[in-house]
Amino acid sequence: MLNTFSSVRQYLKFDLTRVVIDNFVFKLHYRWTFVMLLVATLLITSRQYIGEHIQCISDGVIAPVINTFCFFTPTFTVVRDLNHTVFRPGSEPPGIGHYDASKDQIKRHAYYQWVPFVLFFQALCFYVPHFLWKKWEGGRVKALVFGLKMVGLTRYLKNDSLRIGKLNIPSMAEAEERIKDIRRTMIDRMRLNQSWGAHLVFTEFLNLVNLLLQITWTNRFLGGQFLDLGPKAIKGRWSEELSVLDIVFPKVTKCRFHKYGAGGSLQDHDTLCVMALNIMNEKIYTILWFWYAFLLTVTVLGLIWRLLTLCLYRNLTFTRWSLYWAKPGRLDEKELAAVIDKCNFSNWMFLFFLRTNLSEFLFKKVIYHLASEFPNPETDNDINAYRDMGASTSSSTVKARYPDINGLDTVDAPLLHQRHPATPPVSVLPDPSDMTKMPV
């Protein structure tokens, strides 16, 4: 069994170095639902668990021939025998009673031939939004935070990094350089690539659209019986009435086979077929009904959350709570306010994913470096002004206000500016009366 499902094992690995670029709801679509549908596909196509998919009984016809014929030719059940009032517990299976081709209405069943193909196609559809988002995201978050997962241990490493298996623990000097890279990238994003957040919202909305399409398609695929399949299946489980699962997924069906006899006349063989495949189909689609119901609820809640972030991302209280929810840790409110005041939605989401992937120790440094670039008129938060005070203010005052001022990176900072630009020097002509006093 483990060998059968080894192909989906790679999607269930727990990787400490994995970089988060989406949320929990997104993962339910492209990881859990994707894997669930792949496992269902493997179960349907594996004969070792349910045996032959169809076994038919007929006199005068070789078993392999009739089995193959009835599997590729839709079987049917008699609609008259599918009535709840006709069925009695312990009686013959529903839908296989006496059949008069000229009078009785029949219901053909051909979906079981397409179940593995449909399940596999649906699995790919659930992966498409993640594929698009990963392409649009471009690996920017991973390029910045990769290798910084264990940065809490860097305080014990000064100049040399440490590698333990697949984990690379950077030194303090390397971590400081990575912080500067994050700051530079964040500042560059203030002016470029403003569609990053819009792509994220689009793919999250695409998850909902895809889920609704898959529910609608599954309902049509099962003859309009999927939308209320779950509640009816639970109800039929505890009652003696005919279960909806026996109607949608009949275990015994009828099949007609024609062949020419020894005298050249056409012989009609009324065949009874045992559909072992439907034993698995009914369980798969019942589980999918409950999973889709749960997934639809969570997806709608996720989009409500995304709407709140679009409306409240500039609110300090909301941002502090959101970043704490992403990963617990306290942040300086003044520095955080200085940063989010200059952010649009795309920049805010970029900060959110940075917080998700970075430790509190490192993210505080990122916020500090970013806040130093954005002057705050209320607190006079201007690093360059403090640097240029010189003799007017003692260096101890500056260090008390910004303890890490010497560690700030001032190279390639497009948003650094001074409040009062230097006044160009004015040349003064000498007094003519003093010309005679000048030495020759």
Side-chain angles (χ1 to χ4, degrees):
M1 179 177 289
L2 293 179
N3 292 331
T4 304
F5 302 114
S6 60
S7 58
V8 299
R9 185 175 53 188
Q10 57 180 324
Y11 302 105
L12 300 175
K13 288 182 178 180
F14 181 74
D15 190 1
L16 292 175
T17 63
R18 187 186 298 274
V19 175
V20 178
I21 59 172
D22 45 43
N23 55 22
F24 172 72
V25 179
F26 219 134
K27 288 183 174 63
L28 290 179
H29 284 262
Y30 77 85
R31 183 171 296 176
W32 294 101
T33 308
F34 176 76
V35 170
M36 185 180 298
L37 292 172
L38 284 185
V39 170
T41 305
L42 292 175
L43 285 174
I44 292 298
T45 55
S46 299
R47 297 176 182 268
Q48 56 179 317
Y49 304 112
I50 58 177
E52 293 294 332
H53 293 170
I54 185 173
Q55 291 283 351
C56 297
I57 304 173
S58 178
D59 297 332
V61 183
I62 302 176
V65 175
I66 193 66
N67 291 341
T68 303
F69 175 82
C70 291
F71 183 80
F72 291 109
T73 302
T75 59
F76 64 92
T77 50
V78 183
V79 176
R80 172 177 47 82
D81 292 338
L82 298 178
N83 195 328
H84 288 270
T85 60
V86 176
F87 175 75
R88 292 291 182 270
S91 63
E92 63 182 10
I96 61 170
H98 175 71
Y99 165 59
D100 187 349
S102 61
K103 298 180 180 179
D104 294 328
Q105 182 182 359
I106 64 174
K107 181 180 179 181
R108 295 191 178 274
H109 306 280
Y111 62 88
Y112 53 83
Q113 304 170 356
W114 298 94
V115 167
F117 302 100
V118 170
L119 291 175
F120 183 72
F121 176 75
Q122 289 181 318
L124 296 180
C125 289
F126 277 98
Y127 196 82
V128 167
H130 170 69
F131 175 79
L132 293 176
W133 166 235
K134 194 173 182 180
K135 183 178 180 180
W136 285 331
E137 192 271 335
R140 295 176 179 87
V141 176
K142 182 177 181 180
L144 293 176
V145 306
F146 186 74
L148 297 178
K149 289 283 187 178
M150 306 296 292
V151 76
L153 300 177
T154 59
R155 62 189 67 187
Y156 304 105
L157 304 173
K158 295 183 178 180
N159 298 318
D160 298 327
S161 59
L162 179 64
R163 187 173 184 85
I164 303 177
K166 295 183 179 181
L167 295 178
N168 183 33
I169 304 176
S171 63
M172 183 62 72
E174 183 180 350
E176 291 290 345
E177 290 298 323
R178 297 289 296 276
I179 292 174
K180 295 175 183 179
D181 292 338
I182 295 174
R183 183 194 63 81
R184 290 191 187 100
T185 303
M186 188 66 189
I187 291 176
D188 291 340
R189 293 183 59 81
M190 294 294 184
R191 298 179 179 179
L192 302 175
N193 200 13
Q194 301 298 327
S195 61
W196 196 80
H199 288 156
L200 174 61
V201 175
F202 173 75
T203 51
E204 288 182 339
F205 182 74
L206 189 61
N207 280 329
L208 176 62
V209 174
N210 173 68
L211 177 59
L212 294 176
L213 288 176
Q214 299 310 319
I215 293 175
T216 304
W217 165 246
T218 305
N219 185 58
R220 296 192 62 181
F221 181 65
L222 297 180
Q225 299 283 346
F226 181 72
L227 292 183
D228 54 356
L229 181 67
K232 286 186 176 180
I234 295 297
K235 181 181 178 180
R237 177 65 177 83
W238 305 106
S239 67
E240 295 184 352
E241 295 183 357
L242 181 62
S243 174
V244 66
L245 297 179
D246 293 326
I247 299 176
V248 182
F249 307 100
K251 313 307 182 295
V252 182
T253 59
K254 298 172 70 70
C255 177
R256 297 185 66 184
F257 183 78
H258 302 276
K259 76 170 186 175
Y260 288 96
S265 60
L266 187 64
Q267 297 177 354
D268 184 6
H269 294 268
D270 188 10
T271 306
L272 197 66
C273 297
V274 178
M275 305 294 297
L277 189 63
N278 278 344
I279 298 295
M280 195 65 67
N281 286 336
E282 68 173 13
K283 294 174 175 57
I284 288 175
Y285 281 102
T286 303
I287 293 174
L288 282 181
W289 189 94
F290 288 101
W291 176 255
Y292 284 164
F294 165 75
L295 190 61
L296 180 61
T297 304
V298 175
T299 303
V300 171
L301 293 176
L303 288 178
I304 294 175
W305 159 255
R306 181 59 63 225
L307 182 62
L308 290 176
T309 60
L310 280 168
C311 299
L312 302 175
Y313 70 91
R314 287 188 180 275
N315 183 277
L316 178 60
T317 303
F318 178 80
T319 299
R320 186 176 66 250
W321 180 84
S322 300
L323 295 180
Y324 184 87
W325 176 73
K327 183 174 287 187
R330 300 185 61 182
L331 300 172
D332 187 271
E333 291 190 4
K334 293 182 179 179
E335 294 176 353
L336 185 61
V339 173
I340 65 174
D341 185 59
K342 302 293 181 179
C343 289
N344 57 21
F345 178 72
S346 293
N347 306 139
W348 188 90
M349 286 305 306
F350 198 77
L351 277 178
F352 183 86
F353 288 127
L354 287 179
R355 179 68 187 106
T356 306
N357 290 281
L358 296 178
S359 65
E360 178 186 359
F361 164 73
L362 198 60
F363 191 72
K364 279 185 175 180
K365 285 183 172 290
V366 172
I367 293 296
Y368 171 77
H369 277 257
L370 290 174
S372 66
E373 302 289 351
F374 306 141
N376 189 340
E378 297 181 358
T379 59
D380 195 29
N381 185 16
D382 192 341
I383 286 293
N384 286 339
Y386 279 101
R387 289 183 183 275
D388 296 338
M389 281 184 178
S392 60
T393 303
S394 62
S395 59
S396 60
T397 304
V398 178
K399 290 183 178 180
R401 184 75 175 270
Y402 290 96
D404 294 336
I405 189 171
N406 294 326
L408 290 175
D409 181 29
T410 58
V411 180
D412 189 23
L415 298 184
L416 278 177
H417 63 279
Q418 297 181 358
R419 294 184 182 277
H420 307 290
T423 303
V426 179
S427 58
V428 180
L429 296 176
D431 189 354
S433 61
D434 296 334
M435 295 292 291
T436 57
K437 298 179 183 180
M438 296 180 63
V440 180

